[in-house]
Amino acid sequence: MTAVASRNVRTARMMALVAACMLALAFAAVPLYRAFCQLTGFDGTPLRAERAPGAVAGQIGVRFDANINAALPWKFEPVQETVRIAPGARTQILYRATNLTARTTTGQAVFNVTPETAGPYFSKIECFCFTEQTLKGGQSVDMPVVFYVDPKIKDDPDTKDIDEITLSYTFYPVETPATAR
């Protein structure tokens, strides 16, 4: 093999490797972005926590919003639309989901917090959004969310004047092998 042919083969292999890496990164982009947002609170994504730090003086309002993708035949709503809580206090609220069909369906909730600047201070300890939810035909379930608002929200110049945070969920259908046919 000539030197030119050898370089061409090496270049072709390098380009194939670069293309394979780009394809792998394309598939990994969504999970990596989601992990980055959950780790940093970027884009209004609430953080996950093990426990609440404990209540401090003051109050902040939290409003709960519920949405359903049109392809998921469920009714979904917060049991309580708003609460006033002390920053740092462990709080539990419920959302209710009802499968409006006779067949079993599965959904996955995605969430966000507004205003976005409050995202890094909103931490969830337990949430139905961490896993897929499967409801039998006609079944209704109450699904808990356990959270706290970090007291440091009042120390940040960008968030110290926030009086109300909105936690919003949207449920989407999950394609299972049986429903994907």
Side-chain angles (χ1 to χ4, degrees):
M1 185 181 291
T2 67
V4 173
S6 177
R7 279 194 311 244
N8 287 345
V9 168
R10 187 175 42 230
T11 301
R13 286 182 181 158
M14 290 297 287
M15 291 300 107
L17 180 63
V18 167
C21 288
M22 290 174 69
L23 183 63
L25 282 173
F27 279 104
V30 171
L32 288 173
Y33 180 75
R34 184 178 299 130
F36 170 77
C37 289
Q38 288 175 346
L39 181 65
T40 64
F42 181 75
D43 200 24
T45 302
L47 301 173
R48 288 180 77 168
E50 296 296 319
R51 60 182 175 79
V56 298
Q59 294 277 302
I60 193 161
V62 182
R63 177 172 303 282
F64 306 103
D65 179 50
N67 305 284
I68 292 280
N69 179 278
L72 186 63
W74 288 8
K75 180 180 178 187
F76 176 58
E77 61 194 352
V79 172
Q80 186 175 0
E81 291 187 12
T82 62
V83 294
R84 299 269 321 152
I85 61 169
R90 181 184 189 277
T91 305
Q92 178 174 317
I93 58 95
L94 297 171
Y95 277 80
R96 182 169 294 131
T98 303
N99 182 349
L100 302 175
T101 68
R103 71 187 193 307
T104 299
T105 56
T106 301
Q108 175 75 51
V110 295
F111 54 87
N112 70 339
V113 169
T114 53
E116 287 182 15
T117 54
Y121 299 101
F122 195 97
S123 296
K124 290 196 251 177
I125 299 168
E126 179 185 334
C127 183
F128 58 88
C129 61
F130 296 157
T131 59
E132 294 177 354
Q133 302 298 315
T134 300
L135 300 180
K136 295 177 182 173
Q139 180 183 13
S140 287
V141 295
D142 286 344
M143 301 177 294
V145 178
V146 180
F147 68 94
Y148 69 92
V149 176
D150 193 320
K152 294 176 186 167
I153 193 169
K154 294 300 182 183
D155 298 333
D156 185 335
D158 295 330
T159 59
K160 68 181 174 119
D161 294 325
I162 291 176
D163 186 56
E164 184 173 84
I165 298 170
T166 300
L167 176 61
S168 181
Y169 290 96
T170 302
F171 253 107
Y172 291 92
V174 172
E175 291 283 326
T176 61
T179 60
R181 291 182 198 161

